[in-house]
Amino acid sequence: MTTRRNVLASAAAAALIPAAVTASPSPDATLMRLGAEWQRLIAKGDSMWARFCAAPDGTNEARALGAECDAFWPQLEAAADKVMDTQPATLEGLALWARVMVWRFDPTQRGIPAAPPPSLAEYGFNEAFALASALCRLAAARAGGMAS
């Protein structure tokens, strides 16, 4: 039998359930996992590139590291493709897309700086860069952090 007392007790108990249990997963959970993998590969690629740059020019070590970097690049591109093939549903997902797009224009970019590098201005990149930068800033502000 349902009584006011049972209804109130049930409501009180429901309020005690942690938000993490009742919260639904982000609509961009898959996209964010793909983005994390892309970021992991970026870090790995940066490490490989640093080792290549530190190797003396013309040595077997430099040639081997160069070949390793060349062989690694398709993995990084494939990870970026997976991100871009997954439709974002949130501002955070759009910001991830923006970071991948900026990286594709200039793979040396890490995060979204305030302005595009002068070397890209001739390609009409300024407007796209401004949009990507705005998306990343909005997503960071919403999350309470810094754009990356």
Side-chain angles (χ1 to χ4, degrees):
M1 172 176 224
T2 303
T3 65
R4 273 188 295 173
R5 178 181 247 167
N6 289 346
V7 170
L8 290 174
S10 296
L16 297 176
I17 298 173
V21 172
T22 60
S24 60
S26 166
D28 278 339
T30 298
L31 180 59
M32 293 296 109
R33 278 192 301 276
L34 293 170
E37 175 61 11
W38 174 71
Q39 290 286 357
R40 185 189 69 75
L41 290 172
I42 289 281
K44 181 178 177 181
D46 285 350
S47 174
M48 291 169 65
W49 183 250
R51 289 191 336 261
F52 170 75
C53 290
D57 286 344
T59 64
N60 287 338
E61 178 188 13
R63 282 189 285 282
L65 288 168
E68 185 179 348
C69 289
D70 289 344
F72 178 72
W73 187 258
Q75 291 176 36
L76 197 47
E77 277 293 333
D81 286 344
K82 287 179 183 177
V83 168
M84 297 307 292
D85 288 345
T86 305
Q87 186 71 34
T90 65
L91 181 58
E92 291 75 19
L94 283 171
L96 174 58
W97 262 25
R99 288 192 303 276
V100 172
M101 286 187 283
V102 167
W103 173 80
R104 283 192 158 161
F105 273 102
D106 182 357
T108 66
Q109 289 292 323
R110 296 295 173 267
I112 305 290
S119 62
L120 296 178
E122 66 189 77
Y123 298 108
F125 182 62
N126 289 332
E127 292 82 5
F129 192 94
L131 176 61
S133 180
L135 285 169
C136 288
R137 281 193 310 274
L138 284 171
R142 182 173 163 180
M146 296 293 296
S148 60

